[in-house]
Amino acid sequence: MNHFKTLEFDTILDLLASYAVSEDAKERCRAIKPATTLEEAKRLTNQTTEAKKVIEHVGSPPIAAMTDLEKVIILLGVDSMLTIDNIDNVMAFLKSCSRIKSYLKKAEYIGADIAFYGNSMVDLAGLEEEIGRCLYNGQIDDKATPRLYDIRRSIERKGEQIKTKIESLLQANKQYCVDSIAAIRNGRYTMPVQKKFKNKIPGVLVEMSNTGGTCYIEPIAVSNLQDELSMLKIEEDNEIITILYTLTALIDENLASIKINMEAMEVLDFIFAKAKLSIHMKATQIRLTEEREIRLLSAKHPLLESGQSGTSPVPLNFALGGGIKGIVITGPNTGGKTVAIKTVGLLSLMAQSGLHVPADESSSMCIFDSVWCDIGDGQSISQNLSTFSSHMTNIIDVLGRASASSLILFDELGSGTDPAEGMGIATSILEELLAMGCLFTVTTHYPEIKDFALNTQGVINARMAFDRESLLPLYKLEIGEAGESCALHIAERLGMPQHLLKRAREITYSGISTAPSDKPASEGAILSVTPLEVKDEPEKDTTIPRSQSFNVGDSVIVYPEKSIGIVYKQADKRGEICVQIKGKKQMVNHKRIKLHVAAAELYPEDYDMSIVFDTVENRKARHLMSKRHVEGNVIIIDEDIK
């Protein structure tokens, strides 16, 4: 899945595979998929914890590489004779099985359940002993069979006879020879004779030196002895073949047991690889829960290394769940927003896959049926898609495939297009995520989205902290507070003239109310996280629906245009409010509206609102109608509502 790659889960799996020994275990590591049930996730995580405990108390496990054992199985399947190298590979595996069983036996004393996994391996001590008796240092041992022992002794004696005979001939013909010692060439005993005297020694030319100056001649006097020696060597080869066939048959008889042990070794290799990764990352087992929540304390992205200064990544404290379905993270660029949501997504995938995560052990995580994200610029040159188009294609796909049990992470939601339209799209997506019921976290630069989070039940703001003195990001997530734009502050610190700053503020914040929100202030800290605790969500007053809190005559701000309008009619059953903006009436969802000035502050009691809402023609018609009946006098009601 691309989401795995975006969150770098594939990189974690490659790192995990590097701690496995056998190729099959490495492939199993790379093929991990997050569990979708709490029971399975707990089982896999407990395996990792048990294996880590064993390593810490007993040391690194003697896992077998099982190299070329698959080739041995294939050869046995076609009734081929195994070579000495093949049998040596089997022997190495059998020794590893014995060592791992002894290793796990020691681990039983520390009470680790995984230690008893060694009991599932078949005892093949008999096969190991027989192969060890027949093979020594990659060769068939002399004592593999009595016949082989006798043949090799005869070969030694015959060789000594030939050597003695040739050395005698060398002594008698030393004027023709370049050495007084017999030389073995092509498995035959020869006399090293100078080329110019080669005809002085009757016999067979076996070989010549590289320079051509020496001829290696087998004298006729030893030909019969050489033939006898050759016959003995043929007998030796035949006996070795017999031994190899016998060992092949013995291995084939135990093949089913060997396969059981191979499977057990692969599983142990896989489990211990997870433990080794945990030790490498200084990770821990966190609590897996049925509650729909994520609570991470002192969490770190496992692929972030300490910088050259030696400083470690800033730990992340994050909480989502309970009454809070979504978090909107704002803050400066390079402040760590993307790293924060990637950390949440990656640690979720790891925890569901039975891996330990680099976070405080008091952290907790629920099980998601899927984790979806849209992170990075995603531009596709091959498909001729803009950054915005790529984002939207991905987001639309996610919205169509995710469920209430999903975790969704969107980075820079609504970016890459016109700000007003982007904000509107972002708001509609957030509303859809809320309606879906999933848990989600998004990052954004839009200040209107902060207001959405502030005024919407189930959503909370968060920000990446920024040091106003050093103008540097602190990479620290603060849940419950909206991030502020630091651009004007930075411009001021860098010396921008005050009259320009004043004008910039007027342009930026004109029409934006500073009146307090209708959302309870306490809700801003629903999931405020400290390294020690996460506060629970307080109850919210829901006696008056927000849509019904707007009254006729209220001055309101309509987003995303930030237009100022007047409430003409209160909300209908769908939560749509009729607002008059610049003389035109239109239906607007209450979630896009923010109170600017209440009607009670704008108009005296019993004020005739027709003065505000009626056209000049309507007001004249009403005035005339109050005096007398006039044929054709018409008042047009709700003329521009759309």
Side-chain angles (χ1 to χ4, degrees), residues 137-412:
N137 284 340
Q139 299 293 330
I140 298 295
D141 189 81
D142 292 351
K143 297 180 180 180
T145 64
R147 176 169 170 72
L148 180 64
Y149 181 82
D150 291 341
I151 293 172
R152 285 182 173 174
R153 297 293 76 77
S154 297
I155 289 173
E156 288 179 7
R157 288 192 296 270
K158 193 63 68 177
E160 287 297 323
Q161 289 179 27
I162 296 171
K163 184 178 178 183
T164 301
K165 183 66 175 178
I166 288 182
E167 287 176 349
S168 175
L169 291 172
L170 285 169
Q171 189 63 30
N173 299 278
K174 59 183 178 181
Q175 68 273 26
Y176 306 129
C177 300
V178 297
D179 202 343
S180 60
I181 300 175
I184 299 177
R185 290 293 183 272
N186 294 329
R188 305 178 77 85
Y189 287 90
T190 64
M191 294 174 62
V193 180
Q194 296 181 54
K195 182 179 181 181
K196 60 184 178 180
F197 299 123
K198 65 178 181 179
N199 294 325
K200 297 292 185 179
I201 305 297
V204 179
L205 178 63
V206 176
E207 190 179 285
M208 293 189 70
S209 66
N210 292 333
T211 61
T214 302
C215 297
Y216 295 95
I217 298 173
E218 178 186 283
I220 291 177
V222 299
S223 292
N224 290 337
L225 293 175
Q226 288 278 26
D227 290 341
E228 292 174 8
L229 179 61
S230 295
M231 291 301 298
L232 287 171
K233 288 186 176 180
I234 290 173
E235 290 183 32
E236 179 190 27
D237 289 342
N238 289 337
E239 185 62 17
I240 288 175
I241 289 173
T242 300
I243 293 169
L244 291 177
Y245 267 120
T246 301
L247 291 176
T248 298
L250 188 59
I251 292 171
D252 191 43
E253 289 174 7
N254 290 274
L255 185 57
S257 297
I258 291 173
K259 288 181 177 179
I260 290 173
N261 287 5
M262 287 176 66
E263 184 178 349
M265 188 71 76
E266 179 188 329
V267 172
L268 287 169
D269 191 5
F270 170 70
I271 295 173
F272 278 113
K274 294 193 296 179
K276 293 172 188 174
L277 179 64
S278 174
I279 294 170
H280 166 77
M281 295 191 309
K282 299 181 176 61
T284 60
Q285 178 180 0
I286 64 172
R287 185 173 67 91
L288 298 175
T289 176
E290 293 180 343
E291 301 296 326
R292 305 302 298 168
E293 66 175 27
I294 301 175
R295 295 179 185 271
L296 295 174
L297 297 176
S298 299
K300 294 182 180 180
H301 194 292
L303 299 178
L304 288 182
E305 300 291 340
S306 298
Q308 293 181 352
S309 63
T311 57
S312 299
V314 177
L316 172 71
N317 292 326
F318 182 92
L320 179 61
I324 298 301
K325 297 296 183 182
I327 294 179
V328 174
I329 304 176
T330 49
N333 286 329
T334 71
K337 299 191 300 295
T338 301
V339 172
I341 64 172
K342 287 182 73 172
T343 300
V344 173
L346 179 57
L347 297 195
S348 175
L349 293 174
M350 290 174 64
Q352 289 185 218
S353 301
L355 302 179
H356 288 174
V357 301
D360 189 275
E361 62 183 5
S362 61
S363 302
S364 62
M365 184 84 69
C366 66
I367 303 299
F368 298 101
D369 63 4
S370 55
V371 176
W372 305 91
C373 66
D374 178 65
I375 298 173
D377 80 14
Q379 188 166 0
S380 173
I381 297 176
S382 63
Q383 296 181 14
N384 195 29
L385 294 176
S386 67
T387 300
F388 176 74
S389 298
S390 296
H391 277 304
M392 289 311 304
T393 299
N394 191 28
I395 290 172
I396 292 169
D397 179 63
V398 169
L399 295 178
R401 299 169 65 183
S403 72
S405 298
S406 298
L407 171 64
I408 297 179
L409 308 166
F410 288 154
D411 191 29
E412 298 298 350

Side-chain angles (χ1 to χ4, degrees), residues 540-589:
K540 183 176 180 180
D541 182 9
T542 58
T543 55
I544 302 176
R546 185 179 186 276
S547 61
Q548 299 300 320
S549 63
F550 296 95
N551 299 309
V552 174
D554 285 349
S555 175
V556 295
I557 302 172
V558 179
Y559 292 96
E561 301 86 358
K562 299 181 185 176
S563 303
I564 301 295
I566 302 294
V567 174
Y568 176 67
K569 282 187 178 181
Q570 287 189 298
D572 59 18
K573 293 180 180 180
R574 295 180 299 173
E576 302 247 318
I577 298 173
C578 184
V579 180
Q580 178 172 289
I581 304 173
K582 296 179 180 179
K584 294 185 178 181
K585 300 176 180 64
Q586 53 186 302
M587 301 303 292
V588 181
N589 188 283

Side-chain angles (χ1 to χ4, degrees), residues 610-611 613-622 639:
S610 66
I611 298 174
F613 298 120
D614 276 352
T615 62
V616 174
E617 291 76 11
N618 267 2
R619 287 201 299 273
K620 289 181 179 179
R622 287 182 190 276
E639 58 180 349

